[in-house]
Amino acid sequence: MKLDERHLIQLAAVVNAGGVSEGAELLGMTQPAVSRTLAILEKRLGEALFVKGRRPLRPTPFGRALADHGQAMLLSSRKASELVDNFREGRTGAVRVAGTQFFMDGLVSNLIADFHVARPDVRVIQSYGYMEELQSAIRADRVDLAICPVDVLDGDDLEFRSILPGRNVVACRVTHPLLMKRKLRGSEVLDYPWIAPPLNSPLQADMRALLLSFGSTGVSVPYVGGSLASAINYLKRTDALTILPHGVVFAYRKEREITALPLRVPHPERALGILKLAGSPQSPAIAAFTDFIIKGFGSLADLIKRHEQSVVWKA
Amino acid sequence: MKLDERHLIQLAAVVNAGGVSEGAELLGMTQPAVSRTLAILEKRLGEALFVKGRRPLRPTPFGRALADHGQAMLLSSRKASELVDNFREGRTGAVRVAGTQFFMDGLVSNLIADFHVARPDVRVIQSYGYMEELQSAIRADRVDLAICPVDVLDGDDLEFRSILPGRNVVACRVTHPLLMKRKLRGSEVLDYPWIAPPLNSPLQADMRALLLSFGSTGVSVPYVGGSLASAINYLKRTDALTILPHGVVFAYRKEREITALPLRVPHPERALGILKLAGSPQSPAIAAFTDFIIKGFGSLADLIKRHEQSVVWKA
DNA sequence: GAGCTTCATACCAGATTGCTATATTATCTG
DNA sequence: CAGATAATATAGCAATCTGGTATGAAGCTC
């Protein structure tokens, strides 16, 4: 016999609370409503659920057995409600974020860690890619948002929000000989080996432009294609140089192992930003994550600005 | 956020079955009904439950999580339905049965065992008592039915159904000397010690009447008050006699340890029967049990009748 | 792209919900 | 044991919701 789940839940509440009024209160309902439900249930079942005529309301064995199942449903229902609430406030859910390797590894991963302090139950699913791939990933709904440098955006279905000026620096270890010089000329960087960023990376082009501006005639590039962790490990142990986003080098300043040469590097035309589907409704968790990323980069930008005033950059 | 339990159940069914139509079928509903439920759910939650535009219907992670809770409710609901069905068909429930010691121990307990072959999940709660106690126990709803000898019934709120003629016999062990006699005179029973039934038992009065009819002048009664098991154990080991309901002795015939003397004993005015509240609705389990008892005693009566034709009773 | 299957929508009759107001019943108290 | 008190049951009502049929829209298969 099929019976209404809500009825069983009400029964459970009444049995638990020890009275119709209390049970109703427990459910946020009025007593008559619950009372009628019980009457209907008893009528349909043709069987008493409570010993009648006794005031401290006592369920029959049958009533109690039924109430047990109702209780299970009540608990499930509560949990479902909680799940929904958590989800709606972005405490639960999943964010699929993608981006270029160096930014994801150097900056975003830190922010994700911070994000999880407040929202540990939001799953972050990270992947890597460059502009075109990222765009198509977003359009195909394989990714919720991308964090990457963008110059031109084709199509108006995507929305780009800039979060950090596109600025690169020449990175080296803190004990690098060039840092000792009183006067550093740009061309001197050509005397050291260079690490090249991964193929297809926008940094690849940036590095070429940089070296050309210093009059490159064939620099030594003994290491290519490693991701950020590899590049940094290599930097730490050699006098090699490489090009990195300023923010990334900045984020590593605490470890006092790598730093940037005080050299002005030509600005690329791109800014780092967040790319997402324009105007599509997004889950609260994604919104919260996006927000957090924006704020995080905002304060990073502030930090960099303040830090900048104490450093003299040479041309 | 409060949401309708039924909706979650439908969601679970759809996720499980892998399609709206299949889910609807699973629940015995039509596809449009379920489809609308899902639409309502998504609208209220403001969140997709299924990735739209894909035909092998695939739930979003959120949808799946919600469906899990729905699944729990679905299971509970199924179990509740089953419970109700079992109950309504008397496969589940409880029967509170009371009766006089000798009948309960000697006959009814066997029937209960047989009853449980077909309905192992019906709990039988047995208690003992004599007429007055049994009547008030039934009226106070402490007992569902009583099995006892009844002569007069006061009040018409109780219903009595006779199930066995009220007939007693003189019981003894199968090796009793009196059984060897070709011609047994009633007065000879006075030469042996007698076991007296418990105080207040109707058998008490029956025994007194019996002994008087044989011209009692002070029989030896060395053992009083034991219940059936005690009396039978005692009988087995001595040449004592006692009065027992015929059916009880008959039930023990298979063990070939006690039997009845071929003596006619004056019939008491009572018949063994089932006593219950008149016209009150009773649970299916109780109905089934009552039925079983009636049938059980019916075939016992038949057996006794057939057996009787092969025994010669003396006066 | 035709045909098939599956899902979504529109509309309707009937059931159910929850409410307020009120009657009924059980328990407690003197 | 009557009267006070608290709890439960009942009645009536408006709004919602239910599930059904009929039908349109959209994916999949070949």
Side-chain angles (χ1 to χ4, degrees):
Chain A
M1 179 193 203
K2 174 86 176 68
L3 17 79
D4 192 325
E5 288 76 23
R6 234 176 317 176
H7 290 179
L8 294 186
I9 288 180
Q10 292 181 27
L11 170 65
V14 169
V15 169
N16 270 4
V20 179
S21 311
E22 295 89 329
E25 163 122 45
L26 204 76
L27 296 171
M29 300 175 57
T30 58
Q31 168 267 320
V34 176
S35 181
R36 184 180 47 186
T37 294
L38 295 181
I40 292 175
L41 251 183
E42 290 196 329
K43 183 169 193 175
R44 291 199 186 147
L45 296 169
E47 186 60 35
L49 295 169
F50 293 91
V51 252
K52 48 189 167 297
R54 285 253 154 272
R55 191 60 73 147
L57 215 52
R58 217 180 46 209
T60 62
F62 179 57
R64 184 179 300 281
L66 257 192
D68 285 345
H69 294 297
Q71 178 68 9
M73 289 191 248
L74 178 55
L75 290 179
S76 291
S77 181
R78 287 259 162 83
K79 278 197 267 180
S81 292
E82 205 180 317
L83 173 74
V84 172
D85 290 341
N86 281 337
F87 189 89
R88 303 188 102 191
E89 315 209 343
R91 287 193 294 269
T92 268
V95 182
R96 296 165 303 172
V97 56
T100 53
Q101 288 211 16
F102 282 13
F103 279 115
M104 296 307 286
D105 288 350
L107 297 174
V108 180
S109 56
N110 293 325
L111 285 176
I112 293 173
D114 295 346
F115 179 74
H116 273 162
V117 171
R119 302 175 191 253
D121 294 329
V122 174
R123 246 168 87 77
V124 175
I125 298 144
Q126 175 175 311
S127 57
Y128 299 97
Y130 298 117
M131 260 303 277
E132 281 86 41
E133 307 161 57
L134 294 175
Q135 287 191 26
S136 64
I138 290 177
R139 289 202 176 93
D141 193 34
R142 279 180 281 123
V143 150
D144 297 310
L145 76 164
I147 300 173
C148 61
V150 166
D151 35 10
V152 204
L153 201 56
D154 54 313
D156 57 351
D157 56 337
L158 298 185
E159 170 192 324
F160 178 73
R161 171 153 186 177
S162 164
I163 54 177
L164 206 64
R167 169 147 180 221
N168 295 326
V169 294
V170 177
C172 61
R173 60 167 158 178
V174 289
T175 56
H176 198 279
L178 285 181
L179 289 169
M180 308 299 167
K181 303 248 174 176
R182 302 282 310 261
K183 284 190 174 180
L184 176 59
R185 274 176 305 133
S187 58
E188 286 180 276
V189 301
L190 303 178
D191 302 334
Y192 292 89
W194 279 70
I195 305 175
L199 297 170
N200 303 324
S201 162
L203 283 177
Q204 186 85 254
D206 294 345
M207 179 172 135
R208 190 159 34 236
L210 171 68
L211 294 178
L212 280 173
S213 79
F214 289 144
S216 157
T217 49
V219 198
S220 155
V221 182
Y223 188 22
V224 182
S227 74
L228 184 62
S230 296
I232 289 188
N233 286 334
Y234 192 94
L235 274 189
K236 287 181 193 170
R237 287 170 179 71
T238 68
D239 283 337
L241 302 173
T242 193
I243 187 168
L244 282 181
H246 185 193
V248 171
V249 175
F250 189 80
Y252 275 91
R253 72 190 182 286
K254 287 193 201 101
E255 300 177 10
R256 306 190 168 282
E257 303 230 61
I258 70 161
T259 187
L261 291 179
L263 278 178
R264 289 243 172 251
V265 169
H267 276 208
E269 291 297 318
R270 315 171 233 101
L272 182 71
I274 292 181
L275 201 60
K276 50 168 42 181
L277 224 48
S280 83
Q282 56 187 6
S283 89
I286 297 176
F289 182 79
T290 308
D291 213 52
F292 192 88
I293 293 290
I294 291 173
K295 286 213 177 68
F297 273 97
S299 52
L300 177 68
D302 282 353
L303 271 179
I304 291 177
K305 206 173 211 169
R306 258 180 285 158
H307 187 258
E308 207 129 286
Q309 295 165 349
S310 62
V311 179
V312 184
W313 297 87
K314 316 216 165 158
Chain B
M1 181 196 200
K2 175 85 177 69
L3 19 78
D4 192 326
E5 289 76 22
R6 231 173 319 174
H7 291 180
L8 295 185
I9 288 180
Q10 292 180 24
L11 170 64
V14 170
V15 168
N16 270 5
V20 178
S21 311
E22 295 89 327
E25 164 123 46
L26 205 75
L27 296 172
M29 297 175 59
T30 58
Q31 169 268 320
V34 175
S35 181
R36 183 182 48 185
T37 294
L38 295 181
I40 291 175
L41 252 182
E42 290 197 329
K43 184 168 193 174
R44 289 199 187 148
L45 295 169
E47 186 60 34
L49 295 170
F50 293 90
V51 242
K52 46 189 167 296
R54 286 253 156 272
R55 192 56 75 133
L57 214 52
R58 216 179 46 207
T60 63
F62 180 57
R64 186 179 299 280
L66 256 192
D68 285 346
H69 294 298
Q71 178 68 9
M73 288 190 250
L74 178 57
L75 290 179
S76 291
S77 181
R78 287 260 161 83
K79 278 197 266 180
S81 291
E82 203 179 319
L83 173 75
V84 171
D85 290 342
N86 281 337
F87 189 89
R88 304 187 101 191
E89 313 207 344
R91 287 192 294 268
T92 266
V95 182
R96 297 165 302 172
V97 56
T100 52
Q101 288 211 16
F102 282 14
F103 280 114
M104 296 307 286
D105 289 349
L107 297 174
V108 180
S109 56
N110 293 326
L111 285 176
I112 292 172
D114 295 345
F115 179 73
H116 273 163
V117 171
R119 301 177 191 250
D121 293 329
V122 175
R123 246 169 86 75
V124 176
I125 298 144
Q126 174 174 311
S127 56
Y128 299 98
Y130 297 116
M131 259 304 277
E132 281 87 40
E133 307 161 57
L134 294 175
Q135 286 192 28
S136 63
I138 289 177
R139 289 201 176 95
D141 192 34
R142 278 179 282 122
V143 149
D144 297 311
L145 76 163
I147 301 172
C148 60
V150 165
D151 36 9
V152 206
L153 201 55
D154 55 315
D156 57 351
D157 55 338
L158 298 185
E159 170 192 325
F160 178 74
R161 167 152 189 179
S162 165
I163 53 177
L164 207 64
R167 166 144 183 225
N168 295 325
V169 294
V170 176
C172 61
R173 60 168 158 180
V174 288
T175 55
H176 198 282
L178 285 181
L179 289 169
M180 309 298 167
K181 304 250 174 171
R182 301 284 308 262
K183 284 191 172 177
L184 175 60
R185 275 173 305 128
S187 58
E188 286 180 277
V189 302
L190 303 177
D191 301 336
Y192 292 89
W194 279 70
I195 304 174
L199 298 169
N200 303 322
S201 162
L203 284 177
Q204 185 84 257
D206 294 346
M207 178 171 135
R208 190 156 37 235
L210 170 69
L211 294 179
L212 280 173
S213 80
F214 290 142
S216 154
T217 50
V219 198
S220 157
V221 182
Y223 188 23
V224 182
S227 74
L228 183 62
S230 297
I232 289 188
N233 285 336
Y234 192 95
L235 275 189
K236 287 181 192 169
R237 286 169 180 73
T238 68
D239 283 337
L241 302 172
T242 194
I243 187 168
L244 282 180
H246 184 193
V248 170
V249 175
F250 188 80
Y252 275 90
R253 73 190 182 287
K254 288 191 203 106
E255 301 177 11
R256 306 189 169 282
E257 304 230 58
I258 68 161
T259 187
L261 291 180
L263 276 179
R264 288 243 171 251
V265 170
H267 277 207
E269 291 297 320
R270 315 173 234 99
L272 182 71
I274 291 180
L275 200 60
K276 50 166 45 180
L277 223 49
S280 83
Q282 56 187 5
S283 88
I286 297 176
F289 182 79
T290 307
D291 213 54
F292 192 88
I293 293 290
I294 290 172
K295 286 214 177 66
F297 273 98
S299 51
L300 177 69
D302 282 353
L303 272 180
I304 291 178
K305 206 172 210 168
R306 258 181 285 156
H307 187 258
E308 206 132 284
Q309 296 167 347
S310 62
V311 178
V312 185
W313 298 87
K314 319 219 162 152

